[in-house]
Every structure is written in C-alpha cells, then in structure tokens.
Amino acid sequence: MSAPKTTPFHQAHKDAGGKLVDFAGWELPVNYGSQIQEHEAVRTDAGMFDVSHMLISDITGEQAKAWLQKLLANDVAKLSFVGKALYTAMLNDNGGVIDDLIVYRANEAETAYRIVSNAATREKDMAQFTKIGAAFGIEIKPRHDLCMLAVQGPKAIDKLLQLKPEWAEQVRALKPFQGVDLGDNWFVARTGYTGEDGVEVMLPENHANEFFKQLQSVGVQPCGLGARDTLRMEAGMNLYGHDMDDDTSPLQAGMGWTVDLKDESRDFVGKAPLVALKNQGVDVKQVGLLLETRGVLREGMEVVTPHGTGVITSGTFSPSLKQSIAIARVPVATENSAQVDIRGTLTDVRVLKLPFVRNGQKQFD
C-alpha cells in the first residue's frame, strides 16, 4: 500500500503538535491534543482546518455552463453573479450520489467555473467530469498548486482580517455562499462545514505554512479531523460515504433542497430515476437522534420504530450538548421517538429535525 499523501500544511501540523492519521489516503491531523478544546474554539471563537485534500478544479469552455447543467442535480443558472457558490450533488445514472460538491461562477461570460469536491471521491469525480465533459469541449484543470484552509467560528473573520486588513472591504461584503478572488491565486469564500460563520481560503501552496502560523499568532486554534466531524454532525451536515453514497438518492439523504427540477427542459445525469422516486414517494427520511441517557450512538446501529427499522449513518458524542447525537435514515412515517439497538438493548431516543446546533445555539427544545 502506498504511503499517504501530505498537504502543503504538513510541516505546520507537525510544528503545532498535530497527531497525524491516514484519512482517505492523506496524512492529516486527527487532533492537536484536545478534540473537545478544538470543537469549543470553533463554537465560541475561531479554529482552522486543513481541507487541502479536497480537489479544486477550474473549468473553462464556451459550453461550461451547459456541461454543469448536465452534470449536476442543482442548476448553475442560479449563479447570478461572479463569486456566487452553489452546493449540489453529482449523481450517477441510477440517481445515486457520486459526490457532493460546491461550484463557483468565475467570470461574467459563464465560461469559467471552479469546483471543490471531496478527497475520497476525487478519482471517480474526475472520471465523471471527463466522461460528461467530452461532448461539451470543456477544459478541466486540477489546481494542485493551491491549498485550502477553513477558518471557522464567530470570531474567524475578525481574526483573519487582523492579518489581512487590506481584504476587509471585500471579505466583509461576502454573504454566505459567496466568494471573492483577491488576486495572486488567493480566493476567500464564506462557506464551511461547521455550522458556524467563517470562510474557506484557497491560496498558493508556497504560502501555506506561513499563513497557518500567522493565524495561530492571532489566536486561531488549529483543529483536526475529530473536531471537524463532531462540528459537522451537530450542524446536521452529511459526510460522503457515510450519510450518502452511490446507492443513496439525495431525496433519501436530506438533500432534496439541492435538486432543482424547475427547468423541465434541463436533463441532468440521474434525473429520470430521481423523478421516478419522487413520484412514487420516498419511503425514508433523514433525521437527527438524541440519546438522553448514557451511551454513544454509532454508525451502523439499527433504529427501531413502529413503522419499521432504520439505520444510523453518523453518530458521536456532542461536545456542545453533552449528549450523544446521530444522523439516521428512518421510515418516512417516523414521529418524535424511536429506539436504538445499543449492544443488544433497545434504548429510547428522541427524533429531531436537523441541525442540532447552529451558530453556537441549540436548535431544539
């Protein structure tokens, strides 16, 4: 087996005391000493995550817009200005999710876009990009010269702008799901995977370690994969390969809002089986589960309801709530309670609408 790849921040992780593990073929920090402290920094202050294992692809071509309208379940016609971002699924021919990704509009002419997609799926993503792209004459340029750092939390933008005051006007003008090109291959977007405010910064790889250390110097906490996972679960955000995959429809994974069927003339990959499933009625739904007694909910545990069984797709102990939470797929008729098989014992759980936590606040009574 080949050695895991490293990101341009690798030395910074080591210098900060990161405990490095193999994640989807990449050596990345699981934590820097305390996952709980890292989680709480993002909920109350500012933390940063290396997300350079994700694939940045720049797309150009006269038919780039048409290609994306064929490739993606959401419609890039919604990208009404340069820098606007769109979250979407990319489906296979059966309507299952190949990947979830973000696409940015990069020019006025709608002939240039940027896609950010997942690390674990980069090979099959690129194969699908190329396969569907062949008929549209587009050029796909993977940006291996760039890296990416998520700076997240209620004080993230303030701390970033302590370092980069010259960015203040442009960055403060960003609304969620908007990005801005700041020149010299620096790009800042108001996006994230934590349920907090913040940005994701794409930058030239030769600036990686310096930028990381500068952010540390203004009090941004380095955060690892462990905190990233508890934060995204509290925020009710899917993780590819767990909460959805090639055999899961977006309609079964809480992603119906990312499917755009308004333009009936637009035919995208996976549309026919998706519409057929919608018409026949989806028999499962995605929910949150809260365990109010001791124990931890884990992926793969069976959920028992009066309407049949479901399954936990992600589970953890929530540092913010001090209780165990899970994302689960259950029969569509499930109401506000269920049971989970925890080591052979059926244990009562509350069934909640996601998310559990957003902007530092509990989202349920």
Side-chain angles (χ1 to χ4, degrees):
M1 192 169 157
S2 59
K5 297 186 274 290
T6 59
T7 79
F9 294 102
H10 191 253
Q11 189 59 49
H13 297 319
K14 293 206 287 192
D15 293 346
K19 182 186 174 189
L20 298 167
V21 298
D22 187 335
F23 176 79
W26 292 81
E27 193 170 62
L28 289 166
V30 66
N31 62 58
Y32 297 83
S34 170
Q35 178 179 327
I36 302 288
Q37 183 183 324
E38 294 161 27
H39 178 107
E40 289 175 348
V42 174
R43 286 279 178 254
T44 62
D45 192 343
M48 59 181 164
F49 305 81
D50 178 5
V51 288
S52 307
H53 54 302
M54 298 183 79
L55 179 63
I56 302 169
S57 302
D58 283 347
I59 312 301
T60 51
E62 288 301 314
Q63 295 192 74
K65 180 181 179 182
W67 170 68
L68 289 166
Q69 289 184 300
K70 176 71 174 176
L71 182 76
L72 304 175
N74 214 338
D75 191 351
V76 294
K78 291 175 179 169
L79 298 179
S80 53
F81 54 87
V82 173
K84 185 104 175 67
L86 187 73
Y87 175 69
T88 179
M90 176 170 66
L91 306 182
N92 58 32
D93 292 338
N94 299 320
V97 181
I98 295 176
D99 197 11
D100 63 326
L101 49 85
I102 293 179
V103 56
Y104 298 88
R105 179 172 165 183
N107 71 355
E108 286 290 350
E110 298 179 293
T111 57
Y113 294 85
R114 171 167 285 181
I115 295 174
V116 180
S117 52
N118 284 306
T121 52
R122 62 164 57 200
E123 285 175 11
K124 66 175 182 170
D125 286 358
M126 193 54 77
Q128 183 75 349
F129 292 174
T130 306
K131 175 183 157 188
I132 305 302
F136 292 87
I138 49 127
E139 183 181 347
I140 305 165
K141 183 180 181 184
R143 294 301 304 269
H144 300 307
D145 57 317
L146 301 180
C147 56
M148 192 156 128
L149 198 67
V151 188
Q152 300 281 301
K155 298 179 184 173
I157 291 175
D158 288 345
K159 290 189 171 183
L160 172 67
L161 295 178
Q162 280 183 46
L163 288 185
K164 301 283 188 183
E166 68 277 15
W167 291 357
E169 187 178 348
Q170 288 168 289
V171 170
R172 291 208 186 277
L174 294 174
K175 292 184 170 62
F177 268 75
Q178 295 179 7
V180 61
D181 185 342
L182 295 161
D184 297 322
N185 281 314
W186 288 77
F187 184 89
V188 175
R190 200 159 162 202
T191 50
Y193 191 50
T194 63
E196 295 297 325
D197 198 5
V199 293
E200 293 177 308
V201 183
M202 300 174 215
L203 64 148
E205 60 181 0
N206 57 322
H207 291 282
N209 288 308
E210 176 192 18
F211 185 54
F212 192 98
K213 288 176 180 180
Q214 286 174 333
L215 286 165
Q216 276 185 284
S217 76
V218 294
V220 179
Q221 167 71 51
C223 300
L225 294 164
R228 186 170 177 247
D229 205 41
T230 53
L231 288 159
R232 71 92 190 166
M233 256 188 262
E234 289 183 353
M237 294 178 171
N238 286 344
L239 177 62
Y240 189 83
H242 299 259
D243 306 299
M244 76 291 199
D245 56 25
D246 285 293
D247 299 318
T248 309
S249 168
L251 303 181
Q252 299 167 323
M255 294 174 65
W257 64 278
T258 72
V259 174
D260 193 322
L261 298 169
K262 289 191 190 78
D263 180 355
E264 292 182 7
S265 67
R266 184 174 75 96
D267 181 30
F268 57 86
V269 177
K271 180 179 180 179
L274 185 141
V275 169
L277 177 62
K278 187 174 186 223
N279 290 341
Q280 78 181 48
V282 184
D283 60 356
V284 295
K285 64 180 178 180
Q286 187 183 70
V287 297
L289 303 180
L290 178 72
L291 179 65
E292 294 183 306
T293 54
R294 292 182 63 178
V296 180
L297 302 173
R298 298 289 185 201
E299 179 179 348
M301 286 181 175
E302 185 177 62
V303 185
V304 179
T305 82
H307 310 283
T309 60
V311 66
I312 289 177
T313 56
S314 289
T316 193
F317 181 79
S318 159
S320 301
L321 302 173
K322 309 290 190 285
Q323 293 172 302
S324 186
I325 60 171
I327 297 171
R329 197 172 301 133
V330 298
V332 73
T334 303
E335 294 179 355
N336 55 8
S337 64
Q339 293 182 305
V340 173
D341 184 345
I342 301 179
R343 294 190 297 277
T345 301
L346 286 179
T347 306
D348 291 342
V349 292
R350 285 181 68 186
V351 177
L352 300 169
K353 186 180 176 188
L354 295 167
F356 299 99
V357 178
R358 189 56 59 95
N359 295 322
Q361 300 300 311
K362 188 171 87 163
Q363 296 295 297
F364 59 92
D365 296 323

